[in-house]
Amino acid sequence: EIVMTQSPATLSVSPGERAILSCRASQSVSGRLAWFQQKPGQAPRLLIYDASTRATGIPARFSGSGSGTEFTLTISGLQSEDFVVYYCQQYNNWPLTFGGGTKVEIK
Amino acid sequence: QVQLVESGGGVVQPGRSLRLSCAASGFNFRDYAMHWVRQAPDKGLEWVAVVGVDGNTKYYADSVKGRFTISRDNSKNTLSMQMNSLRVEDTAVYFCVRMPDAMDVWGQGTTVIVSS
């Protein structure tokens, strides 16, 4: 099983600034990596797939990069609705696995 | 619009069974692999199972293998999951998810509580 490790667990950022979230895989997942945003009481929402492709309707302030085992989600110009939890997920191997999540909080 | 609506959750005693359903609408259900993903209270996301477009290809997480069975009815646009021998650790919100290239459409979830 591929273990996905997200860091940091909690990230404190001021509104309007940039947040950089990391995701590391225990072995290569090629580019088959997705990022999700989850607001309290809601289902996750797909932000990024194939490591760097924004999903339909996702604002340009969300961007993804990386390949192999190291991936990054960057959120530029943080808005109030962005202070929630983010998960990465690999879909290169079975079982599909998620990272433990990063909570972005207001500094 | 594209929509997934889960049902069937509830409170059940350990060792008992429950069947979840997911009604799909707004897209060609038969063209997509479908998954169940769960989230225990205040925890992260855990992939549970997948069924391929024809209903024959299935994979399960080790934590549910042998106890849960995923299935689909393409004529009724419905995804199901039979959950047997339920354990306290199966307590979670269960999401039905569509996955073409990535998990792009999620249902709102149905809550399963396993407690004596």
Side-chain angles (χ1 to χ4, degrees):
Chain A
E1 170 176 320
I2 296 178
V3 177
M4 306 300 293
T5 302
Q6 290 187 241
S7 61
T10 303
L11 183 61
S12 297
V13 187
S14 299
E17 296 197 339
R18 183 176 64 181
I20 299 175
L21 288 65
S22 295
C23 177
R24 173 176 293 178
S26 60
Q27 65 187 74
S28 177
V29 298
S30 297
R32 297 181 69 76
L33 189 285
W35 289 94
F36 298 88
Q37 176 192 67
Q38 188 176 31
K39 298 179 179 180
Q42 295 186 18
R45 176 176 70 148
L46 178 66
L47 298 176
I48 302 286
Y49 65 96
D50 290 347
S52 61
T53 303
R54 270 191 303 278
T56 302
I58 302 303
R61 66 179 183 274
F62 293 93
S63 63
S65 63
S67 64
T69 62
E70 300 283 345
F71 300 89
T72 299
L73 173 69
T74 301
I75 312 170
S76 303
L78 276 160
Q79 300 185 4
S80 57
E81 62 266 30
D82 300 333
F83 291 93
V84 291
V85 179
Y86 296 84
Y87 294 96
C88 63
Q89 179 220 19
Q90 68 80 21
Y91 48 98
N92 192 57
N93 290 77
W94 302 106
L96 307 186
T97 47
F98 292 87
T102 291
K103 180 180 180 180
V104 178
E105 66 175 23
I106 299 175
K107 185 175 182 180
Chain B
Q1 72 280 21
V2 175
Q3 195 172 10
L4 297 170
V5 179
E6 303 93 335
S7 60
V11 180
V12 62
Q13 293 180 327
R16 304 299 290 265
S17 299
L18 209 58
R19 186 176 182 87
L20 304 184
S21 295
C22 171
S25 60
F27 64 100
N28 290 325
F29 178 74
R30 65 181 65 247
D31 290 342
Y32 293 86
M34 296 295 298
H35 298 249
W36 288 99
V37 174
R38 68 184 181 183
Q39 187 169 34
D42 297 320
K43 299 295 184 182
L45 301 167
E46 179 188 16
W47 173 78
V48 175
V50 60
V51 60
V53 295
D54 62 2
N56 293 324
T57 301
K58 303 176 184 181
Y59 293 103
Y60 298 91
D62 285 346
S63 58
V64 306
K65 199 173 296 181
R67 300 187 299 122
F68 290 11
T69 302
I70 190 172
S71 61
R72 66 189 298 159
D73 185 338
N74 288 339
S75 68
K76 296 181 179 179
N77 293 340
T78 300
L79 174 72
S80 299
M81 187 159 69
Q82 178 67 36
M83 304 188 296
N84 298 333
S85 302
L86 282 162
R87 304 168 180 169
V88 171
E89 55 264 36
D90 294 320
T91 294
V93 175
Y94 286 74
F95 297 101
C96 165
V97 188
R98 183 182 86 167
M99 185 171 180
D101 300 315
M103 292 185 169
D104 67 342
V105 178
W106 296 61
Q108 84 289 349
T110 187
T111 300
V112 173
I113 298 174
V114 184
S115 174
S116 55

